[in-house]
Amino acid sequence: MVEKEPGLLGWLTALGAWATGHSYASWGGGTAFLAALWSGLKDGRAWCSSLFGAALAVLITLSILTVMRKTGLHEEWMPIVGLAVGFIGADRIRAAVLGAWDSRKNMVSNNESEK
């Protein structure tokens, strides 16, 4: 394992060593970043908003890829997951999660009121 030295060069060295050791995850994160950045700019969002959305897409992708690795799913699907998350976008994923949360909350409250 590469020990990081203080400073920017040490961080870049450690990041490069991680990226070469986890090639599918880095490819998935890179494709998520580029796809989210492109689709955000294509939708007419500002640069700052598009960059933030792309960074969130990378974090979402890496979270999904970690679950995929832990459950034993094949690693060759990882770049496709990055593309899907990038094109869907962090905003739409957030809206879907919040919608599912509200739906579940309403279903639980309806069941309690029926009893």
Side-chain angles (χ1 to χ4, degrees), residues 4-56:
K4 79 173 176 58
E5 300 173 13
L8 180 63
L9 188 59
W11 283 100
L12 291 176
T13 304
L15 181 65
W18 181 87
T20 56
H22 300 87
S23 59
Y24 285 118
S26 13
W27 183 252
T31 55
F33 182 82
L34 292 175
L37 182 64
W38 178 79
S39 64
L41 291 173
K42 185 80 171 159
D43 290 342
R45 293 171 46 198
W47 272 97
C48 185
S49 177
S50 296
L51 284 172
F52 186 70
L56 286 176

Side-chain angles (χ1 to χ4, degrees), residues 41-80:
L41 291 173
K42 185 80 171 159
D43 290 342
R45 293 171 46 198
W47 272 97
C48 185
S49 177
S50 296
L51 284 172
F52 186 70
L56 286 176
V58 170
L59 293 176
I60 292 169
T61 300
L62 291 178
S63 299
I64 293 171
L65 297 183
T66 301
V67 171
M68 286 178 67
R69 178 169 281 188
K70 294 289 183 188
T71 58
L73 292 173
H74 206 272
E75 288 185 342
E76 290 181 357
W77 287 95
M78 291 183 176
I80 296 171

Side-chain angles (χ1 to χ4, degrees), residues 57-111:
V58 170
L59 293 176
I60 292 169
T61 300
L62 291 178
S63 299
I64 293 171
L65 297 183
T66 301
V67 171
M68 286 178 67
R69 178 169 281 188
K70 294 289 183 188
T71 58
L73 292 173
H74 206 272
E75 288 185 342
E76 290 181 357
W77 287 95
M78 291 183 176
I80 296 171
V81 170
L83 276 174
V85 169
F87 281 120
I88 292 171
D91 295 335
R92 290 185 189 123
I93 291 174
R94 178 182 181 272
V97 168
L98 290 177
W101 180 265
D102 285 340
S103 172
R104 175 74 176 145
K105 186 172 64 172
N106 291 338
M107 194 167 52
V108 169
S109 65
N110 287 342
N111 287 340

